[in-house]
Amino acid sequence: MPKIVSPQVEFDVLLRQAKQVTPEIFTPDGAGFLNLLEGRWQEPGQPRPFRSPVDGSELGSLPMLNHEAALRAVIFAKQEAATWAATDLDERRAKVQDCLDQLRPQADLIGKLLIWEIGKTYKLGFTDIDRAIDGVQWYVDHIEGMLGQRQPLGLVSNIASWNYPMSVLLHAVLVQVLCGNSVIAKTPTDGGFISLSLAFAVARRCGLPVTLVSGPGGELSDVLVKHEAVDCLSFVGGRYNGRNIADALSEKQKRYMLEMEGVNTYGIWNFSNWPALADQLKKGYDYGKQRCTAYVRFVVERRLFPQFLETYWETVRHLKVGNPTLVDSPDDKLPELAFGPVIHRGQAEELDRLYDDALKTGATPLLQGKLDDSLFLPDQDRAAYRAPRALVNLPRQSELYFKEPFGPIDSIVLVDRVEELVGEMNISNGALVAAVASDDEQWVRRTAKEVRAFKVGINQLRSRGDREEVFGGLGESWKGAFVGGSLLVEAVTQGNELTLRGNFEDHILMPEKV
């Protein structure tokens, strides 16, 4: 029987379901999408066609706003802040709880939309929305103790990358609202706008002061970042944009949390538990390493390279990469893929460029994976798909040496001394996570303290985390207040302490308002 897109995830079916659940996000003719501003869905903006990374098909058009419309959105959102801040915590909590209760029945639809919008696998699409709902539920259940006498900041602006629209962006927005702030968020231009629109429509119905706009960064940055009505900025994205935002905020007295990428590294020294490493290597390829906490650089003691190579080769070459909507018959389950496409054709071509540059500068190819025809529809567009690749002996003049590829390319660096291992793990001036593996527990814990990453795993991977655990970054991977657990509440509220816990530039470290 010929391969087909599963009827369970066929996009036209999902779109019809979205129109039934949240008709307000669509234009009156049902052909386009709207922005949520001034308390209602309006403004189709300048439609910009959006294509799925899965097969290149057009899913609709982003309703891109101009500066003037975005300014209206910010001013109205700021006006909502005072009334919402004066709302009793019990009422705020009840409305956020109502939102969660209404989102739960839509988790299946949202998870499937994420397959088409950003190329998540079937499993990871559901994980993203489930983590968002479960995470916010934890804050709803514990907010009273964390909030205490702290007061909201006002209007919080959110700009986030496309890779985790629910568990990062929606999660942050609902916690910010729970704390008494009004919120404006920008949909990621590279994907997630349909699923986010559905979720924000539910939130607005529940009486939450949320605004959602789409538009080009250059057109909207002045109002979403620098406008005086914005009291706090939460940003997740690349270092280039993050640095520009940090510069723009250097003279502004406003709160900020800027999460940026670093080269997350895994160091291996005096180690023998290769089956455990194999499990971590497999897990580390979730979503094709399109994560801010993906491990893309392995620093290995030279004498261990044969065992590392055998483990790496046998694990990574068997990973399945393919179309996440594909089944052989309507009764089959979707295949267990390691990952599907990268976010779009342009990112796939950028990965090719980085890889080719590394080869030209002298790196040695270690693995060049190939795509399996059986995991794709016949003649489908594969422009955004790339199998895993790995390099060893990456020269310092290679661009990839200091850069996170944000995709399925690993680099392996061989070292002879512990000092080299630490130095090679610290090449990106700060990172979000790292890991050190060794049979010598005393040594590994001592060495982990020398690694410039916010979280360092001991013989295990570390992830972003939330709830009880603090999250942040060192050096250029993070600027501003740290988040996670009570610190996520503190980041968007004000109290009596003099400083916030975070990674601030000395000249812009701000005391809290009293």
Side-chain angles (χ1 to χ4, degrees):
M1 184 174 181
K3 293 179 175 60
I4 61 171
V5 172
S6 168
Q8 303 293 326
V9 297
E10 189 176 348
F11 183 72
D12 287 344
V13 174
L14 301 180
L15 192 61
R16 286 198 296 271
Q17 292 175 7
K19 289 180 178 180
Q20 292 172 351
V21 174
T22 53
E24 63 266 41
I25 72 177
F26 296 89
T27 56
D29 61 4
F33 293 87
L34 298 169
N35 288 277
L36 172 58
L37 63 150
E38 299 174 315
R40 58 192 177 91
W41 292 89
Q42 56 175 312
E43 294 288 354
Q46 182 64 41
R48 171 176 163 177
F50 177 79
R51 296 189 176 277
S52 171
V54 170
D55 60 3
S57 60
E58 189 171 319
L59 301 185
S61 295
L62 275 158
M64 307 290 273
L65 292 181
N66 58 24
H67 179 277
E68 181 182 355
L71 180 59
R72 284 168 40 210
V74 167
I75 291 173
F76 180 87
K78 176 65 172 180
Q79 291 170 350
E80 289 192 295
T83 301
W84 182 248
T87 303
D88 185 77
L89 175 59
D90 287 342
E91 184 177 346
R92 298 202 307 262
R93 182 162 46 190
K95 288 186 175 182
V96 174
Q97 183 66 64
D98 185 25
C99 177
L100 296 179
D101 293 342
Q102 292 192 40
L103 282 173
R104 284 190 175 92
Q106 308 309 326
D108 183 78
L109 173 58
I110 291 173
K112 291 172 181 175
L113 284 171
L114 292 175
I115 297 174
W116 287 99
E117 290 195 84
I118 58 175
K120 292 270 187 182
T121 62
Y122 198 82
K123 178 181 178 181
L124 290 182
F126 296 125
T127 298
D128 194 21
I129 180 60
D130 288 344
R131 281 186 59 196
I133 293 172
D134 292 345
V136 177
Q137 184 66 65
W138 184 87
Y139 283 92
V140 169
D141 295 340
H142 297 85
I143 187 61
E144 194 165 13
M146 290 186 286
L147 194 58
Q149 299 302 310
R150 300 182 66 82
Q151 299 298 312
L153 293 175
L155 174 60
V156 181
S157 178
N158 290 263
I159 301 173
S161 56
W162 42 266
N163 51 351
Y164 289 92
M166 299 297 149
S167 59
V168 173
L169 179 55
L170 180 67
H171 178 277
V173 163
L174 293 180
V175 175
Q176 292 160 10
V177 168
L178 180 63
C179 292
N181 300 287
S182 63
V183 167
I184 186 169
K186 178 183 177 298
T187 58
T189 305
D190 287 329
F193 76 99
I194 303 174
S195 51
L196 279 169
S197 294
L198 190 153
F200 271 67
V202 171
R204 193 75 208 188
R205 288 180 187 176
C206 294
L208 302 181
V210 296
T211 296
L212 183 68
V213 295
S214 295
E219 189 82 10
L220 270 56
S221 63
D222 277 354
V223 289
L224 296 181
V225 175
K226 293 183 282 187
H227 196 277
E228 60 183 11
V230 174
D231 299 292
C232 178
L233 174 68
S234 176
F235 170 85
V236 180
R239 282 195 181 185
Y240 177 79
N241 289 332
R243 283 171 177 160
N244 289 340
I245 288 174
D247 289 343
L249 293 175
S250 63
E251 297 180 358
K252 308 286 184 181
Q253 290 294 307
K254 67 177 64 180
R255 193 76 56 80
Y256 57 90
M257 300 84 75
L258 313 180
E259 178 185 335
M260 299 166 282
E261 87 274 5
V263 179
N264 304 313
T265 58
Y266 198 119
I268 300 172
W269 186 270
N270 188 25
F271 179 74
S272 63
N273 191 357
W274 302 108
L277 180 65
D279 291 340
Q280 294 178 58
L281 288 170
K282 183 177 180 181
K283 181 171 179 55
Y285 260 97
D286 277 356
Y287 199 32
K289 301 209 170 188
Q290 296 178 107
R291 310 186 316 279
C292 62
T293 54
Y295 290 79
V296 295
R297 182 180 177 90
F298 295 85
V299 184
V300 182
E301 184 180 4
R302 191 180 303 275
R303 69 180 181 88
L304 299 180
F305 184 57
Q307 297 98 317
F308 174 86
L309 177 58
E310 180 180 1
T311 302
Y312 186 92
W313 176 267
E314 288 301 317
T315 301
V316 177
R317 74 188 183 97
H318 293 299
L319 296 178
K320 293 182 178 180
V321 182
N323 184 330
T325 72
L326 185 64
V327 294
D328 289 315
S329 74
D331 297 326
D332 285 348
K333 293 182 179 179
L334 292 166
E336 186 67 28
L337 298 176
F339 59 96
V342 297
I343 190 58
H344 50 61
R345 175 196 293 264
Q347 175 62 12
E349 292 173 350
E350 171 66 4
L351 292 172
D352 293 342
R353 186 190 69 78
L354 289 170
Y355 185 79
D356 291 343
D357 172 74
L359 294 180
K360 290 175 183 176
T361 54
T364 301
L366 187 71
L367 174 69
Q368 291 179 316
K370 290 181 172 51
L371 298 176
D372 182 347
D373 290 344
S374 69
L375 298 176
F376 296 89
L377 289 168
D379 302 319
Q380 80 155 83
D381 186 319
R382 301 189 194 180
Y385 292 85
R386 293 296 184 272
R389 287 174 284 187
L391 300 151
V392 69
N393 296 327
L394 193 65
R396 280 185 170 264
Q397 61 267 36
S398 168
E399 185 178 349
L400 197 56
Y401 192 92
F402 297 98
K403 184 181 179 68
E404 181 188 30
F406 221 67
I409 300 178
D410 286 336
S411 59
I412 293 92
V413 179
L414 306 181
V415 295
D416 300 296
R417 296 181 299 120
V418 172
E419 294 81 1
E420 287 182 276
L421 180 136
V422 172
E424 292 291 349
M425 291 186 71
N426 288 337
I427 50 87
S428 71
N429 188 20
L432 301 174
V433 296
V436 184
S438 176
D439 296 341
D440 186 338
E441 185 173 340
Q442 184 177 2
W443 175 89
V444 75
R445 293 190 179 279
R446 183 175 65 249
T447 303
K449 296 177 182 178
E450 301 178 41
V451 177
R452 282 186 53 76
F454 188 76
K455 292 182 179 181
V456 182
I458 306 299
N459 291 314
Q460 65 177 344
L461 304 176
R462 296 305 310 272
S463 64
R464 191 179 196 275
D466 48 30
R467 306 184 190 183
E468 297 98 333
E469 191 173 27
V470 176
F471 187 63
L474 299 183
E476 292 297 318
S477 70
W478 192 285
K479 300 293 183 188
F482 289 156
V483 299
S486 62
L487 291 192
L488 179 52
V489 173
E490 291 178 16
V492 295
T493 56
Q494 51 193 340
N496 294 323
E497 62 273 351
L498 294 179
T499 60
L500 287 169
R501 182 175 176 185
N503 177 9
F504 295 92
E505 295 287 352
D506 291 340
H507 67 283
I508 53 176
L509 178 59
M510 302 177 302
E512 288 213 31
K513 301 174 185 177
V514 178

